[in-house]
Amino acid sequence: MNFEHFHEDLIKLSIAVLIGGVIGAEREYRTKSAGFRTIILVTVGSALFTIFSIRIGGENPDRIAANIITGIGFLGAGAIFRGENKLSGITTAAIIWAASALGMGVGSGEYVICLATTAVIFLILVLFTKVERFIDRKNQSRTYRISTRYEDRTLLHYEDLFSKTGLIFRRGKQTIENNIITGTWELQGSEANHKKLTEELLRDRSILSFDF
């Protein structure tokens, strides 16, 4: 065993644990699917594969490390799932991808840039969340579905209400079944305007049900 290499590898793996722990702690705090241990394993695994790739790759030292990207693709895809109205887990998938890149950097000995990038990623996750929430309050998209009894008319009169409450709408499909007509719309606007619309719909006694 080359103890000089062992000492250096131990430093690399320790830094990989540190980097993964910093990012993973933020994910764990927000109870995301890829949390503390997962992100650490990603950075440590990527660092280890990079070390092996450099050590035993011969004339083509990137042939092992290149497969890290394929494996991370599977992990990232597993973190993404589709809800009723949107995709979730995209940020977590991006963090897994970035954590893998940091692990590869540490494995190749690029400590300074990896530590600096870790600080940048942590600031993005912590500080930019507030910016994201501010933007979401000012403009968000929701899909509304309204059902009422059919009285020989469409649901177009609700579109006047959408405009009145300051929301931009895109009409979806309308269906009639058992004398009940149901319409769907995608509405975009501020959180306050969505709240106004919800209050108006709750006061409408002709509505059998609505959701968003």
Side-chain angles (χ1 to χ4, degrees):
M1 175 184 289
N2 189 322
F3 286 97
E4 182 180 350
H5 283 166
F6 176 75
H7 179 70
E8 183 181 358
D9 294 344
L10 194 60
I11 292 174
K12 290 179 178 180
L13 294 177
S14 298
I15 294 175
V17 170
L18 174 64
I19 287 174
V22 170
I23 299 174
E26 189 277 339
R27 294 286 87 188
E28 190 73 31
Y29 179 78
R30 299 187 188 277
T31 63
K32 300 300 181 179
S33 56
F36 186 69
R37 292 179 300 173
T38 303
I39 302 300
I40 290 177
L41 288 172
V42 168
T43 54
V44 170
S46 298
L48 192 59
F49 272 117
T50 303
I51 291 170
F52 288 157
S53 186
I54 294 172
R55 196 72 48 78
I56 64 178
E59 295 181 356
N60 190 14
D62 62 344
R63 63 188 180 92
I64 297 176
N67 292 305
I68 298 174
I69 300 172
T70 304
I72 291 302
F74 282 107
L75 283 178
I80 300 173
F81 60 94
R82 185 176 184 83
E84 287 189 7
N85 299 323
K86 65 178 182 179
L87 290 173
S88 299
I90 296 178
T91 300
T92 299
I95 289 170
I96 291 173
W97 174 68
S100 175
L102 290 172
M104 292 177 70
V106 170
S108 61
E110 301 293 338
Y111 307 131
V112 176
I113 190 171
C114 288
L115 290 171
T117 304
T118 301
V120 171
I121 291 174
F122 186 78
L123 288 175
I124 290 172
L125 292 174
V126 174
L127 298 181
F128 283 26
T129 300
K130 297 180 180 179
V131 177
E132 189 176 51
R133 288 175 181 170
F134 174 78
I135 294 172
D136 189 55
R137 285 197 301 269
K138 294 300 180 181
N139 186 48
Q140 53 186 251
S141 179
R142 300 181 184 176
T143 300
Y144 285 77
R145 183 171 61 221
I146 301 174
S147 296
T148 185
R149 297 193 183 281
Y150 180 60
E151 297 176 348
D152 295 327
R153 63 174 181 168
T154 63
L155 300 176
L156 297 182
H157 60 285
Y158 286 112
E159 296 181 359
D160 295 331
L161 179 60
F162 302 156
S163 298
K164 179 182 175 182
T165 52
L167 295 168
I168 300 171
F169 64 88
R170 186 173 64 184
R171 187 185 306 160
K173 66 178 181 178
Q174 294 188 4
T175 58
I176 301 175
E177 184 177 358
N178 297 327
N179 205 39
I180 294 176
I181 184 169
T182 301
T184 58
W185 297 267
E186 184 178 337
L187 275 64
Q188 186 174 345
S190 68
E191 185 178 46
N193 288 343
H194 280 289
K195 183 179 179 181
K196 290 180 184 177
L197 174 63
T198 302
E199 291 171 349
E200 291 287 342
L201 295 176
L202 287 171
R203 284 194 290 265
D204 190 338
R205 295 184 179 276
S206 66
I207 294 177
L208 298 176
S209 66
F210 79 91
D211 59 67
F212 57 87

